[in-house]
Amino acid sequence: MLLKFLFLTSCLIYNVLAGSSAFYGLNYGVSKEACPSFDTVKRDFRILSQYTNTVRVYSLKDCDIGQLALQASQEAKMKIYLGMWIDKTDSFDQEYEALKRLASSNSFYNVEAIIVGSEVMYREDMTADELAKRINKVKALVGPKGVKVTTSEVYYKFYPEVIEAVDFLMMNAFIYWEGEHIDNAVDKLKEHFFSVKGISKGKVVRISETGWPDQGDQFKDSIPLPENQKEFLIKTLCMTRTLGIDMIWFSAIDELYKPGVEGHFGLLDSNRKLKSFYQFDNLMNPCVA
């Protein structure tokens, strides 16, 4: 508890001195084919700390990223969402063993939540009841540490069993993949958020993933251009701040190991530089025309 108090105090002092962050959070992905070193993760988090105080990772076991990211986030005085990847294999069991090791040897004072699975219902990797049981198993492990547990799911795939099990809801919505024109994109995101809010049973709802690519193939009326990514990002920042919605942008850095358009959702390019069409002041004050 003392460590958590000191951490929160240091974050408060930092925020007062530096002002609020541009983003509530940023999603941080890594390639299993090119696992980063601890120094690389620490460098990345130091860079990302210019834009946010919170990062999210998708797995604990892959590349041992759970341990690397937890340690790097604590050194950078950042908060973290630790993800557990679930698919149709025995991935949950492997992730759960990694979580037990992590919890036994580390303090979780800066862990915002454990995210049990990403879009599990969307991919139909298991039933809602099966996912809820796994969420409750993780809650039994980390709940005594004061850590919340949730899952990350597309906005139209929340089932009552899962809503009941989670401490709060995290929704994904990629308007680009809905084929919407950029002019309608932010209004559509807001519509999806309130549709989830309406079924949340009073629980907090956060946006765990949204974004827009700056290059790649057009999908219906969605065109991946730098100006469209910028418009969606800035307007989404303004909308979420105005409405008090916590939003984790996808993604922190271009992930060029992914095929096609998937690799071009980053705030930063693959060299960890802010893309040239953004201005830091605009990120900090997105509602200023």
Side-chain angles (χ1 to χ4, degrees):
M1 289 300 294
L2 178 59
L3 281 175
K4 187 168 187 176
F5 171 77
L6 293 173
F7 170 76
L8 293 174
T9 301
S10 68
C11 286
L12 177 61
I13 293 171
Y14 174 83
N15 287 334
V16 169
L17 292 175
S20 59
S21 298
F23 291 84
Y24 168 75
L26 293 169
N27 286 288
Y28 179 77
V30 300
S31 170
K32 292 190 289 185
E33 308 305 318
C35 290
S37 66
F38 174 65
D39 286 342
T40 295
V41 177
K42 185 166 65 171
R43 176 207 63 188
D44 287 350
F45 282 21
R46 186 170 62 249
I47 292 169
L48 297 182
S49 69
Q50 300 173 73
Y51 307 100
T52 187
N53 190 45
T54 303
V55 289
R56 174 211 179 177
V57 296
Y58 287 82
S59 174
L60 303 177
K61 64 178 180 63
D62 293 344
C63 299
D64 197 25
I65 193 63
Q67 177 63 52
L68 299 182
L70 180 61
Q71 185 178 346
S73 67
Q74 291 177 349
E75 290 194 14
K77 294 183 172 59
M78 301 175 79
K79 301 174 186 177
I80 191 165
Y81 284 89
L82 293 173
M84 300 174 68
W85 185 258
I86 297 179
D87 52 30
K88 291 180 180 178
T89 70
D90 64 346
S91 55
F92 174 78
D93 294 334
Q94 295 181 49
E95 292 281 356
Y96 186 76
E97 290 303 313
L99 179 61
K100 286 200 297 184
R101 291 192 298 272
L102 201 61
S104 67
S105 58
N106 295 272
S107 171
F108 277 14
Y109 63 84
N110 68 322
V111 176
E112 282 289 278
I114 306 296
I115 303 176
V116 184
S118 177
E119 300 187 351
V120 175
M121 295 291 95
Y122 171 74
R123 294 192 305 274
E124 299 183 348
D125 285 342
M126 60 181 58
T127 67
D129 185 61
E130 289 169 336
L131 178 58
K133 288 178 180 177
R134 284 157 177 80
I135 290 168
N136 286 323
K137 184 174 182 178
V138 172
K139 288 173 76 172
L141 177 64
V142 301
K145 289 178 171 285
V147 177
K148 295 181 183 293
V149 181
T150 187
T151 190
S152 175
E153 190 54 73
V154 295
Y155 65 91
Y156 56 90
K157 281 287 187 176
F158 280 101
Y159 293 93
E161 301 95 325
V162 175
I163 294 172
E164 181 67 29
V166 297
D167 289 316
F168 61 92
L169 283 68
M170 300 194 83
M171 56 156 279
N172 296 348
F174 285 95
I175 312 306
Y176 167 80
W177 289 118
E178 297 180 32
E180 289 282 347
H181 191 276
I182 188 64
D183 291 347
N184 308 320
V186 177
D187 284 342
K188 185 63 68 171
L189 175 63
K190 182 167 66 172
E191 176 185 320
H192 296 335
F193 174 84
F194 282 107
S195 72
V196 176
K197 191 68 178 173
I199 62 170
S200 67
K201 296 187 175 181
K203 294 184 178 182
V204 169
V205 179
R206 292 175 176 145
I207 299 174
S208 42
E209 291 181 31
T210 195
W212 195 280
D214 66 339
Q215 58 179 288
D217 294 331
Q218 180 172 342
F219 183 71
K220 298 182 181 178
D221 290 333
S222 296
I223 304 174
L225 292 170
E227 54 264 38
N228 286 352
Q229 187 189 80
K230 180 179 180 180
E231 179 175 343
F232 183 73
L233 187 154
I234 297 300
K235 288 185 176 180
T236 296
L237 278 178
C238 180
M239 183 269 290
T240 53
R241 287 194 197 176
T242 300
L243 297 176
I245 300 169
D246 295 331
M247 182 271 294
I248 307 179
W249 178 259
F250 183 90
S251 59
I253 302 165
D254 274 349
E255 301 172 351
L256 300 185
Y257 53 88
K258 293 180 177 179
V261 71
E262 294 281 357
H264 300 284
F265 279 79
L267 171 71
L268 310 182
D269 64 26
S270 59
N271 294 315
R272 279 59 177 168
K273 301 294 185 183
L274 183 66
K275 290 180 176 177
S276 60
F277 46 88
Y278 291 121
Q279 294 79 42
F280 185 76
D281 287 348
N282 201 191
L283 297 175
M284 293 297 292
N285 300 286
C287 297
V288 177

